[in-house]
Amino acid sequence: MHELPLVFFTIFGQLSAGMVLLGSLNYLFNRSTHNTLIIEKINLVALIFMALGMLLASFHLGKPFRALNVIFGIGRSPMSNEIFTFGVLFGVTFGCVILAYFSHLNNSNRWGFINTLCQRINQIPHIGKMLALLLVILSLVFVWTIVLTYMLPTVKTWGTYYTAIQMYTTMLVLGGVMVAMLGFYRTGSIAFFIGALLILLLKFPYINLMIEIAPQLAYDQYHWVAIQCGLLLVALILIALNSWLSKKIMMIYLLGFVCTLVAELCGRIAFYNLWTIPL
């Protein structure tokens, strides 16, 4: 499938944005030394997924070095805006990871100038809250730029509000289950349940609308949609079970994450397969 790199880019991008969003909200409203350590871990893992997403997206261009051409389309091209916003989100997240790392090297002489610079930045009043707020805004804006890239009035199967719902619910379910696995059990589980229930409840009206617009294309996606819903139901049961247990089992969270990731990949493949050529 030609669009497969974009499938992985959007999924990993929304996964990372969801992690950063939930981690930053926890920093703003429930800050503690323990939570700060979890947030540092969340940002680092999100950064890895962002890097992986960028690497896979570059293959969509045929020649990865063509990715630099998006700079010339910023402001007028939705896809350029999407990639630019993603780059800014990556940069700020990377900055937070670096500042967190050097905050633990207070009395160290390692890395010289970089260490000194980071220590001075960390001394700026409320710098942590400002960066957390910035990450919340950037994560939401980045996913919105994805929505604007695909919610095209000329492509009737994409030009509906369901496109926006799909992008943000993916952000919630993937970011939620990963954040839960990394330590924010309550926040992650709530985000996951909200996203998963919205996906499942809105799937039937969404499919019915697609059948009205492009019947054959919609029928061809039934197997992808069935796999997505089936795996999400399995993930719901797993996360609900772990939420009920007093002692969380990481393997259950991991299985829930894998089910959710594969489910959303199937859903995104179905979404791309619904592309229709405007007449």
Side-chain angles (χ1 to χ4, degrees), residues 96-115:
C96 289
V97 169
I98 294 297
L99 289 174
Y101 173 77
F102 283 105
S103 70
H104 300 298
L105 298 177
N106 240 346
N107 300 316
S108 173
N109 293 321
R110 293 171 59 187
W111 299 96
F113 172 75
I114 298 176
N115 188 4

Side-chain angles (χ1 to χ4, degrees), residues 8 12 16 26 31 45-46 75 79 91 129 131 140-141 143 153 176 179 186 192 196 220 237 245 270:
F8 282 100
F12 285 149
S16 305
N26 268 280
R31 186 182 176 186
V45 175
M79 185 167 286
K129 288 184 178 181
L131 288 173
L140 293 171
V141 170
V143 176
V179 162
R186 182 181 177 84
F192 170 78
D220 290 342
I237 294 170
L245 296 173

Side-chain angles (χ1 to χ4, degrees), residues 2-27:
H2 177 63
E3 305 295 344
L4 208 52
L6 292 182
V7 169
F8 282 100
F9 170 71
T10 55
I11 290 293
F12 285 149
Q14 286 153 27
L15 161 61
S16 305
M19 292 176 65
V20 167
L21 172 69
L22 295 173
S24 298
L25 287 175
N26 268 280
Y27 185 90

Side-chain angles (χ1 to χ4, degrees), residues 14 85 103 123 127 132-133 150-151 170 194 218 224 245 250 261:
Q14 286 153 27
T85 308
S103 70
Q123 290 173 3
I127 184 63
L133 181 59
Y150 295 103
M151 202 165 69
T170 296
I194 292 173
W224 293 114
L245 296 173
M250 287 303 105
L261 178 61

Side-chain angles (χ1 to χ4, degrees), residues 68 258 265:
L68 296 175
V258 171
L265 285 170

Side-chain angles (χ1 to χ4, degrees), residues 8-24 42-54 86 89-90 93 135 138-140 142-143 146 170-176 178-179 257 261:
F8 282 100
F9 170 71
T10 55
I11 290 293
F12 285 149
Q14 286 153 27
L15 161 61
S16 305
M19 292 176 65
V20 167
L21 172 69
L22 295 173
S24 298
I42 287 171
N43 286 340
L44 179 59
V45 175
L47 201 65
I48 294 171
F49 279 118
M50 288 184 203
L52 184 58
M54 283 193 291
F86 182 74
L89 178 62
F90 178 90
T93 306
L135 284 175
L138 284 173
S139 59
L140 293 171
F142 164 62
V143 176
I146 298 178
T170 296
M171 179 188 190
L172 286 176
V173 292
L174 286 174
M178 179 55 77
V179 162
F257 173 72
L261 178 61

Side-chain angles (χ1 to χ4, degrees), residues 54-70:
M54 283 193 291
L55 175 64
L56 293 171
S58 66
F59 291 102
H60 177 72
L61 302 172
K63 295 181 179 179
F65 289 108
R66 290 179 181 171
L68 296 175
N69 292 334
V70 302

